[in-house]
């Protein structure tokens, strides 16, 4: 039976790195669902939770669980659970341990715990490298809403975890910590042994010739 592993943690904690490492380790038997793919459309002001960014623009609040399209998440998880050959579905994201659509399906729960200063540094570097964003904007947004949103909507979910992983550890160390938790899900049940049938469909229980049955 396919199981669900929920992986949560703060922004830039290392949860995506862990989830993707798990998928690469067992690509045929692990499916990934990234909650970042299921925010409501940023051009739809009637859905999600909106806030004002540090530069004065109205924006979707990416740090609030109300901005996630839970219906879409539910469909994505259910589709992954039905995929042939998949033994484990890993759902990762800020709210993987708190969204009802994930929590009620999760058999295993992991929280990637990383100090706030390291997460912030990682996030700023990522914004500079990928989006050429002025780091001052990242810092102002963090001070204006990001820090508080993490404290309210993400950090408390640590208490729901079966396992807390050190997000400053290496990828190999994080994998080594998580694998014992999920190995039972990645071991297919043994095939039922075939039993030779005797005359009239009676199972053969000994090495005796068929005519002796």
């Amino acid at each position: 039976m396919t199981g669900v592993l929920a992986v949560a943690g703060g922004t830039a904690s290392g949860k995506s790195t862990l989830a993707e490492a798990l998928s690469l380790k067992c690509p045929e038997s692990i499916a990934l669902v990234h909650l970042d793919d299921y925010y409501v459309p940023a051009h739809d002001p009637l859905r999600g939770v909106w806030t004002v960014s540090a530069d004065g623009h109205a924006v979707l609040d990416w740090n609030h669980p109300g901005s996630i399209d839970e219906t879409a998440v539910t469909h994505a998880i259910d589709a992954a659970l039905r995929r042939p050959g998949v033994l484990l579905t890993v759902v990762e994201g800020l709210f993987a341990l708190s969204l009802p659509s994930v929590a009620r399906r999760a058999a295993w729960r992991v929280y990637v715990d990383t100090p706030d200063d390291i997460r912030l540094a990682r996030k700023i570097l990522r914004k500079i490298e990928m989006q050429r964003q002025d780091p001052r904007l990242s810092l102002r947004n963090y001070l204006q809403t990001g820090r508080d949103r993490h404290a309210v909507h993400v950090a408390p979910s640590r208490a729901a975890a079966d396992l807390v992983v050190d997000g400053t550890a290496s990828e190999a160390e994080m994998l080594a910590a998580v694998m014992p938790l999920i190995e039972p899900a990645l071991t297919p049940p043994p095939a039922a042994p075939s039993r030779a049938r005797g005359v009239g469909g009676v199972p053969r229980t000994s090495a005796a010739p068929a005519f002796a049955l």
Side-chain angles (χ1 to χ4, degrees):
M1 180 179 180
T2 303
V4 173
L5 167 67
V7 179
T11 299
S13 61
K15 57 191 178 298
S16 297
T17 298
L18 171 59
E20 289 164 8
L22 287 167
S23 177
L24 289 173
K25 186 174 180 65
C26 306
E28 301 301 322
S29 54
I30 291 181
L32 285 183
V33 175
H34 299 285
L35 292 184
D36 280 358
D37 294 336
Y38 298 97
Y39 281 94
V40 302
H43 55 76
D44 184 353
L46 300 181
R47 299 174 63 195
V49 175
W50 288 72
T51 187
V52 177
S53 71
D55 59 1
H57 293 94
V59 294
L60 186 70
D61 192 340
W62 308 100
N63 295 307
H64 195 290
S67 295
I68 295 284
D69 184 340
E70 281 208 64
T71 299
V73 171
T74 298
H75 291 162
I77 296 173
D78 290 345
L81 292 173
R82 291 192 297 266
R83 279 174 49 186
V86 169
L87 299 174
L88 180 70
T89 297
V90 178
V91 183
E92 71 85 16
L94 294 175
F95 316 114
L97 296 184
S98 53
L99 279 181
S101 56
V102 181
R104 64 172 170 262
R105 289 169 170 78
W108 304 276
R109 299 168 177 84
V110 169
Y111 187 90
V112 182
D113 195 17
T114 304
D116 291 349
D117 62 333
I118 294 178
R119 293 192 304 100
L120 180 58
R122 287 176 178 176
K123 179 179 179 179
I124 290 174
L125 287 172
R126 187 166 66 194
K127 291 285 189 179
I128 293 172
E129 292 167 1
M130 298 180 65
Q131 301 176 14
R132 305 293 183 186
Q133 186 180 92
D134 185 340
R136 290 173 296 183
L137 179 59
S138 295
L139 287 167
R140 289 199 298 266
N141 281 329
Y142 174 76
L143 292 173
Q144 182 169 302
T145 57
R147 181 175 179 272
D148 290 341
R149 292 286 194 269
H150 174 80
V152 172
H153 299 296
V154 180
S157 69
R158 185 184 190 277
D162 303 308
L163 175 68
V164 176
V165 175
D166 180 3
T168 67
S170 69
E171 181 179 299
E173 289 171 326
M174 290 195 292
L175 274 175
V178 173
M179 287 305 296
L181 182 70
I182 61 174
E183 275 174 349
L186 297 174
T187 304
S194 59
R195 302 178 65 188
R197 310 298 292 182
V199 176
V202 178
R204 296 181 184 173
T205 56
S206 71
F211 62 79
L213 295 175

